[in-house]
Amino acid sequence: MKVVLAPNPTGSGHNMRMLSLARQLRTQLPEAELTVLLGSLQPTFTPLFESAGVHVIDVAGTLVDTSTSSHLTTQMDWSTYIGGYVAPAFVNGDRVLGHLAHYRDLDPDLVVSDYNISASMAAAILGVPHALVTERYDFTLHQLDDATLEAGGFEVDREDMRRGREALHALFSWIVDTAEVVLTDKPPVPEMDRGTAVARALDEGRAVFTGPMIRDFPAPGDGQELRRSLGLGDGPVIVGSVGGTTMFLENKQRVIDNYLAAHRELRRTHPDLQLVLLGREKIEAPEGVVSLTYLPDWMPLLQEADLLLSAPGWITVTEVAAMNIPTLFVLGGLGEYHEVEAARRLDLLGYPTLIEPDAEQLAQTIAPLLAGSGAERMERAARAVAPEGSGTAKAAGLLAEAVRRSATRRQAPAAPRSARHRDAA
């Protein structure tokens, strides 16, 4: 049995979720050949996939890191948004053809796409059985109105965006309809998801909410040793993380600046408060701050943290929910339109959430959370996202069933020509 994994190359979370599923598939289908078509953060994730027994094919050829540049302009029309962003990032003809070629070479029983639209399109075109793993219930644009985009600073051509929404919704619906199975780690919120492709598939029983598709939790470690390794003292620890994909680099910088300013303000009353900043790039760290670019395995650090500040990237949401880590979700601005839907969902589920806060508002929100305020509300929100803790084994089991079904169909002898003709008649 052969499985091809195709994570979306637009963020580290897609790679991490696919890696987690690959590890479980290796356990549940030890005889299967697993290959990942890796298109981003290759130096970080290649050894991780290889250690999980997955053959890696670099489909980008050069290092791709979507956290280090802006991806949109403030003009949102067909040319700038569809042509300038969606087509190269998602509905990419070159990638579709590349995946078609890889499927021809690899002959998989199942392609597992983690919101990799080009990979899903190629599988559907070729008739290769495919599974869709997604935290998106539809294309993001379909769940945001023009007023929200304009509030984010975009100049919106409303007619172009109407046509874009309809076209993208039709494409996503086709992918969902042709999939063997659709798996989502995002709990449905009816008032947000009505009319989306995945909500319809959930209603029809063709999609499954699995809960978090995440790596295994580490056993509680030596907190003091971790602190020593990072140069941390004995005081309370805040972890501040920025997202893996940014639409406007200035929003990412604003979040980093506000993390640092809020930390500085909070140290007036908590002089031993420490901040571990995961900022995707090294900065000159002031007193009480440890600056790291990226931490592939941050779970031991989260176990030691008193509070996490994070962009509402969904793989992060699922990890912290399953671990029940106190978290304040911070969105740098409505211009980061790809995470507005997640921020709104988290707010409805009960997590504390801020959109484009200034440093003073951020500090004022952090202070009571450090004192334990809102803990019960966050626990309820965590249970909504992770009702059974990790859902990785469940998700991998559903994928394994899909692989077996596909392999069985392919091994079944074809009906004799005369029988096929008679049946057709």
Side-chain angles (χ1 to χ4, degrees):
M1 288 183 283
K2 299 179 182 178
V3 181
V4 169
L5 309 171
N8 187 325
T10 61
S12 59
H14 298 287
N15 288 346
M16 191 60 74
R17 183 164 42 209
M18 200 100 303
L19 175 63
S20 302
L21 288 171
R23 287 169 172 163
Q24 267 294 326
L25 281 171
R26 174 57 61 219
T27 299
Q28 298 193 27
L29 286 176
E31 73 279 19
E33 297 178 27
L34 304 182
T35 300
V36 63
L37 304 179
L38 187 62
S40 65
L41 297 173
Q42 300 93 317
T44 298
F45 281 94
T46 294
L48 293 174
F49 276 107
E50 289 177 342
S51 69
V54 182
H55 175 59
V56 178
I57 297 176
D58 181 352
V59 294
T62 58
L63 172 62
V64 175
D65 184 347
T66 58
S67 70
T68 58
S69 62
S70 299
H71 293 278
L72 291 180
T73 69
T74 56
Q75 187 68 33
M76 189 167 277
D77 54 28
W78 189 278
S79 174
T80 58
Y81 180 73
I82 301 295
Y85 173 61
V86 171
F90 298 99
V91 191
N92 185 309
D94 177 53
R95 287 186 194 157
V96 171
L97 292 171
H99 281 83
L100 283 168
H102 284 301
Y103 300 161
R104 289 285 193 189
D105 293 340
L106 296 168
D107 191 27
D109 294 293
L110 186 73
V111 169
V112 183
S113 162
D114 188 318
Y115 196 63
N116 187 329
I117 303 302
S118 297
S120 295
M121 290 173 64
I125 290 168
L126 203 58
V128 174
H130 67 101
L132 177 65
V133 176
T134 178
E135 82 276 15
R136 304 287 181 187
Y137 275 51
D138 215 303
F139 267 101
T140 304
L141 187 66
H142 184 69
Q143 290 190 271
L144 293 179
D145 58 21
D146 292 331
T148 298
L149 297 172
E150 288 164 350
F154 292 105
E155 297 176 26
V156 179
D157 184 317
R158 294 195 168 209
E159 177 61 13
D160 277 4
M161 290 301 97
R162 179 194 65 77
R163 296 175 65 243
R165 282 187 184 89
E166 292 177 358
L168 292 171
H169 174 65
L171 173 59
F172 198 80
S173 296
W174 173 63
I175 289 171
V176 168
D177 290 344
T178 58
E180 289 274 317
V181 63
V182 177
L183 306 179
T184 183
D185 52 10
K186 182 173 279 185
V189 175
E191 60 264 42
M192 294 188 65
D193 301 322
R194 197 170 292 111
T196 63
V198 171
R200 176 169 49 83
L202 285 169
D203 290 342
E204 295 171 354
R206 296 184 298 103
V208 180
F209 167 56
T210 64
M213 301 179 222
I214 55 175
R215 64 197 123 170
D216 293 337
F217 302 154
D222 184 343
Q224 289 302 313
E225 176 57 32
L226 175 68
R227 285 173 178 262
R228 282 194 295 272
S229 69
L230 294 176
L232 296 170
D234 295 328
V237 175
I238 294 175
V239 175
S241 173
V242 301
T245 301
T246 184
M247 295 298 107
F248 296 98
L249 207 54
E250 57 265 32
N251 288 331
K252 171 190 165 186
Q253 190 58 51
R254 180 189 302 116
V255 168
I256 291 173
D257 292 344
N258 285 339
Y259 283 175
L260 294 171
H263 172 255
R264 188 166 56 247
E265 176 62 27
L266 289 163
R267 276 172 66 91
R268 296 176 185 273
T269 53
H270 301 76
D272 58 348
L273 180 64
Q274 300 154 105
L275 170 66
V276 179
L277 177 63
L278 305 177
R280 303 283 175 162
E281 55 188 302
K282 201 75 171 175
I283 67 160
E284 191 75 28
E287 184 180 356
V289 176
V290 174
S291 173
L292 304 173
T293 55
Y294 182 66
L295 201 57
D297 185 6
W298 71 339
M299 286 184 171
L301 175 60
L302 294 184
Q303 290 175 331
E304 193 65 18
D306 295 89
L307 181 68
L308 170 67
L309 312 177
S310 176
W314 200 257
I315 192 67
T316 295
V317 172
T318 57
E319 286 189 345
V320 301
M323 297 176 70
N324 197 24
I325 304 298
T327 305
L328 169 61
F329 291 101
V330 182
L331 185 61
L334 288 173
E336 300 302 306
Y337 86 104
H338 62 302
E339 290 181 337
V340 171
E341 172 269 326
R344 289 174 171 171
R345 188 179 304 263
L346 290 167
D347 179 60
L348 289 171
L349 292 174
Y351 273 109
T353 306
L354 294 174
I355 296 178
E356 203 169 334
D358 59 26
E360 182 180 359
Q361 183 185 8
L362 183 59
Q364 290 174 350
T365 305
I366 290 172
L369 297 177
L370 282 176
S373 176
E376 290 185 8
R377 183 183 175 200
M378 280 190 275
E379 287 177 8
R380 287 195 299 271
R383 285 195 296 272
V385 176
E388 300 174 0
S390 174
T392 315
K394 177 181 179 179
L398 292 167
L399 293 175
E401 290 175 9
V403 175
R404 294 188 186 101
R405 285 197 304 271
S406 173
T408 299
R409 287 199 303 266
R410 298 179 72 188
Q411 291 168 4
R417 180 182 177 87
S418 59
R420 293 201 302 271
H421 179 75
R422 185 172 58 252
D423 291 343

